[in-house]
Amino acid sequence: MMDLWYDLPVAAQDLLAVIGLLLPALITGVVVLRGHTPWPLVKAIIWRFRVPSVMFIVLIAVSVGLGVGLLAQERGLRKGTAQAADKFDLIVSAPGSELSVMLAAVFLQPSDMGLIDGETYNEIAATESVAIAAPLAFGDSYAGAPVIGSTAEFVAYLTDQNVEGAIFADHEEAVVGALVPLEIGAQFTPAHGMTHIDGGAEEHGVSFSVTGRMAPTGTPWDRAIIVPVEAVWEVHGLANGHAPEAGDVIGGPFDAEYFPGTPAVVVHAEALWANYALRSTFTRDRETMAFFPGAVLAGLYNVMGDVRQAMSVMALVTQVLVAVSVMLGLFILSRLFRRQVALLRALGAPSRFVFAMMWSFSAVLLLSGAITGMLIGVGAAMVLSQIVTAQTNILVTAPLGWQEIQFVAGFVSVTLLISLLPAAVVLRQPVVEGLRA
Amino acid sequence: MGLDLTIRDLKVTSPRGRDILSVPQLDIAAGSLVGIAGPSGAGKSTLLYALAGMLEAKGCIVWNDTDLLTLREEQRTAFRASHIGMIFQDFLLFEELSAAANASLTSLYRPRAQRAGIRQRAAERLAALGLKEPDRSVASYSGGERQRVAIARALSANAPVLLADEPTASLDRAAADKLITDLVALARTSGTTLIAVSHDQHLIDRMDRVLTVSDGKIVEPRGQAA
């Protein structure tokens, strides 16, 4: 049986899970409503008590919306961060914190890091299975956009060659990320440090000309400016990685003697399997460390997963409290129209009809609240995603997923089953008392 | 079409065990118009609700050959649905529904085969009671018109018994008099047994028989002997 389940496509599993979650509610609905059409009365009662009904719907909607929004946002963040690290198969750096190096290299968050020397870099670049070994140089910025030194080869790899205009070919040329407010042909002078963080920085006095614009990548690199790594070293008064007699060349190979050092090397291997061998090769005590940013993120997700599990227990407790509140709310609402219920009983309406009417009333409120909540959740997740994207430059999208639909389906089923109780209790109220209420 | 009512040793007690109604013997012939008068709190409405099987009681309340007090609650409800129409002091209508929908309310839960007939009768009763716009929401109706809708509702299921609890109490004199005339005429033409609790002497005067209830007992039967 389990084999059959695992053989199904994921979408089919998700769909079946939703149906399974909704099944108790559907069966209840069919059994309760069979042979009865209480809708005109349900409509009339909702309209009569529209203010408390709307308040009840809003409470349900907010509760469901919070759940949906958080689930969608958490998934969007995972997806966005994983996507941002997509192009960074392997990073080699000086020993230290993998997380710090990843944050600096992938997410362009400033960090103090050790440097890899020229010999080590050349060893990495010369390794047989390495297709690209791009040194990175950080520390400068222009108008809040980090200016990163690297190679033309890296820009081509990062963008899959999707560059409007041309990739830099000279020391004083630059390629800008898709969201950098500089036109092709514009001139700019970078400054040391991050101007928006340091609150003002010293300009280097070297101007760069924008030759190209990278296609959007959905990563923090969309707000970065990439210049030849040689230029970054030069503006800091260092050797530019090449012997003086080599002239104004840019890009590898570099001369180890004139190589000032790089905090991180982004490595792309010719084949996926080779990455594991490279990681092993360049993981050396006190010299270098090599790691997969994806694995660091996975570790981070695991930690988040533990937190998430703890939060899930809290969320479950919250949902139980919401369910209890729903029941109490329905009890209170049902008290509002006990005269109408008593009237129906006095006129001879069968208890099953009155029960169906009461349950349908609850069902309409709960379903309206759940659907509205789903919309609120998706809307909230979209707004949050935009804020997170604007603040981190990581493209976070949080569309409605199966997980949220399953969450809502479960909520609807549980609460519709719970609402059987107030409907049953209403039937036990004495008719005459109800008429005199 | 009518139902004879026979009551023997009826006792209704409060939850605390106090006797609130005691009727050793009462017989009402099918098709009679009976008024129940008496001071407030005397037990008039209690008697009415007991006749409808809506109160737990001891003794016998027999409509033809059906003793309500031997039936389970669901059976009593079913009996009311097919045999008893009810009218209340404050109409108890669904304000958001039209007059036609209110008058044919019972069609929502009666067997499918009877629904069209109920709607048809409700329309006829509304017309007979002078309500010209049955599709209008009852929220826009006057008190007199609302009570007419309630009467049409009570008669739409073709019930042989009509129990009315202070049907004119919420109406002004002119509206009450017109309603009394129509109610009595409808009951007489359809052969319906009408039992009405009322403080309204105009209504009481139009009844065939009047029972006065005081302190939970029928103390002054007038007209036909109790």
Side-chain angles (χ1 to χ4, degrees):
Chain A
M1 190 67 184
M2 289 310 286
D3 288 344
L4 184 67
W5 173 259
Y6 289 123
D7 284 345
L8 289 172
V10 176
Q13 287 180 1
D14 285 328
L15 181 65
L16 286 173
V18 170
I19 293 170
L21 285 165
L22 282 176
L23 214 53
L26 289 171
I27 292 170
T28 306
V30 169
V31 170
V32 170
L33 293 173
R34 194 165 54 88
H36 292 299
T37 49
W39 301 114
L41 297 185
V42 172
K43 220 168 87 181
I45 287 174
I46 288 175
W47 185 246
R48 162 82 66 94
F49 302 106
R50 50 193 173 276
V51 174
S53 296
V54 168
M55 280 172 66
F56 190 78
I57 289 172
V58 168
L59 285 174
I60 299 288
V62 169
S63 157
V64 171
L66 277 174
V68 168
L70 286 174
L71 283 173
Q73 192 58 35
E74 191 263 347
R75 200 186 55 251
L77 269 171
R78 277 177 189 239
K79 205 174 149 192
T81 49
Q83 194 183 327
D86 215 25
K87 285 284 183 182
F88 296 80
D89 299 344
L90 182 72
I91 291 176
V92 182
S93 68
S97 158
E98 290 181 353
L99 188 62
S100 297
V101 176
M102 183 191 70
L103 286 174
V106 178
F107 298 103
L108 303 180
Q109 297 298 310
S111 175
D112 288 331
M113 295 158 68
L115 298 176
I116 289 178
D117 61 28
E119 278 179 22
T120 309
Y121 170 78
N122 281 343
E123 188 189 345
I124 298 167
T127 304
E128 196 180 347
S129 55
V130 170
I132 295 170
L136 299 179
F138 307 111
D140 292 340
S141 67
Y142 171 74
V147 174
I148 315 292
S150 192
T151 61
E153 198 180 19
F154 174 70
V155 175
Y157 166 68
L158 186 67
T159 60
D160 289 327
Q161 311 232 22
N162 282 323
V163 177
E164 182 192 348
I167 299 176
F168 48 75
D170 195 5
H171 286 231
E172 290 172 4
E173 290 180 349
V175 172
V176 296
L179 302 176
V180 173
L182 282 172
E183 298 300 322
I184 294 174
Q187 299 278 323
F188 70 94
T189 304
H192 188 68
M194 288 297 290
T195 47
H196 68 292
I197 292 174
D198 301 344
E202 184 190 339
E203 284 196 356
H204 285 302
V206 178
S207 285
F208 287 84
S209 171
V210 178
T211 59
R213 176 182 296 282
M214 297 189 286
T217 60
T219 72
W221 289 81
D222 285 346
R223 286 203 191 273
I225 299 169
I226 308 180
V227 299
V229 67
E230 291 86 348
V232 175
W233 288 328
E234 282 166 357
V235 296
H236 287 93
L238 303 168
N240 71 5
H242 303 282
E245 57 272 22
D248 283 342
V249 293
I250 60 166
F254 293 96
D255 188 329
E257 202 177 326
Y258 298 96
F259 191 90
T262 177
V265 181
V266 178
V267 177
H268 174 59
E270 285 165 350
L272 188 63
W273 58 265
N275 284 313
Y276 293 92
L278 290 169
R279 182 177 65 165
S280 173
T281 305
F282 294 104
T283 300
R284 300 167 183 166
D285 284 350
R286 288 194 292 275
E287 280 185 41
T288 55
M289 69 173 187
F291 65 95
F292 303 134
V296 176
L297 276 174
L300 204 60
Y301 297 154
N302 276 340
V303 174
M304 281 168 64
D306 292 342
V307 175
R308 200 176 164 216
Q309 266 187 335
M311 284 175 71
S312 295
V313 174
M314 286 166 65
L316 191 69
V317 172
T318 310
Q319 289 309 311
V320 169
L321 289 175
V322 168
V324 171
S325 308
V326 165
M327 197 168 70
L328 288 175
L330 289 173
F331 272 122
I332 293 165
L333 280 177
S334 67
R335 298 287 293 176
L336 290 175
F337 48 89
R338 62 188 294 215
R339 288 199 86 192
Q340 282 78 3
V341 169
L343 167 73
L344 288 169
R345 298 291 284 151
L347 295 180
S351 52
R352 264 205 64 216
F353 175 82
V354 179
F355 185 83
M357 184 191 79
M358 283 297 304
W359 186 82
S360 305
F361 169 78
S362 308
V364 168
L365 298 194
L366 287 167
L367 286 172
S368 305
I371 292 168
T372 312
M374 202 146 79
L375 297 175
I376 288 174
V378 171
M382 277 171 67
V383 172
L384 270 173
S385 299
Q386 283 175 356
I387 294 169
V388 172
T389 301
Q391 291 196 341
T392 64
N393 296 321
I394 302 168
L395 180 64
V396 177
T397 52
L400 189 67
W402 283 108
Q403 204 183 353
E404 293 80 74
I405 296 172
Q406 285 161 2
F407 165 76
V408 176
F411 178 84
V412 164
S413 247
V414 169
T415 50
L416 286 186
L417 287 176
I418 283 174
S419 60
L420 291 171
L421 198 60
V425 169
V426 163
L427 285 178
R428 298 181 64 84
Q429 291 167 355
V431 176
V432 174
E433 265 183 39
L435 289 173
R436 287 170 171 165
Chain B
M1 131 133 213
L3 294 180
D4 291 321
L5 171 67
T6 306
I7 290 180
R8 295 289 181 269
D9 301 323
L10 175 66
K11 263 191 194 304
V12 180
T13 53
S14 72
R16 289 181 181 174
R18 186 174 66 87
D19 284 351
I20 50 177
L21 182 70
S22 176
V23 183
Q25 183 178 344
L26 177 66
D27 298 288
I28 294 176
S32 308
L33 272 55
V34 179
I36 301 176
S40 297
K44 305 185 296 294
S45 295
T46 301
L47 174 59
L48 200 76
Y49 291 142
L51 297 184
M54 294 198 289
L55 289 173
E56 291 306 321
K58 288 180 181 157
C60 303
I61 302 172
V62 182
W63 289 101
N64 268 10
D65 49 7
T66 304
D67 184 352
L68 279 186
L69 298 182
T70 63
L71 302 181
R72 285 183 290 112
E73 189 179 341
E74 204 52 34
Q75 291 172 313
R76 285 187 220 169
T77 305
F79 183 85
R80 275 199 300 279
S82 50
H83 296 92
I84 297 174
M86 296 202 73
I87 303 168
F88 304 93
Q89 176 180 338
D90 48 0
F91 329 126
L92 282 177
L93 300 173
F94 281 87
E95 298 286 317
E96 298 72 22
L97 299 182
S98 67
N102 266 290
S104 60
L105 188 70
T106 56
S107 70
L108 291 174
Y109 51 81
R110 297 292 289 163
R112 209 170 285 274
Q114 296 178 17
R115 291 179 187 174
I118 291 171
R119 284 194 285 270
Q120 170 74 22
R121 267 192 304 278
E124 288 167 6
R125 300 288 192 256
L126 286 172
L129 287 161
L131 289 163
K132 302 258 189 288
E133 295 175 88
D135 293 328
R136 233 172 69 198
S137 160
V138 293
S140 62
Y141 279 20
S142 68
E145 288 172 320
R146 286 177 195 211
Q147 196 59 296
R148 282 160 199 281
V149 175
I151 292 170
R153 178 180 67 194
L155 295 171
S156 66
N158 236 4
V161 178
L162 198 54
L163 303 180
D165 189 9
E166 302 280 7
T168 58
S170 300
L171 309 179
D172 60 39
R173 189 66 266 152
D177 285 343
K178 191 162 180 342
L179 186 95
I180 291 165
T181 304
D182 290 341
L183 181 60
V184 168
L186 270 172
R188 291 219 187 278
T189 52
S190 58
T192 305
T193 303
L194 171 64
I195 302 176
V197 166
S198 184
H199 284 101
D200 185 344
Q201 198 55 44
H202 291 232
L203 174 63
I204 294 296
D205 288 345
R206 300 286 299 272
M207 299 291 104
D208 301 333
R209 178 182 172 195
V210 177
L211 306 172
T212 301
V213 179
S214 177
D215 201 18
K217 293 184 176 62
I218 297 174
V219 292
E220 192 185 335
R222 290 191 326 215
Q224 188 183 319

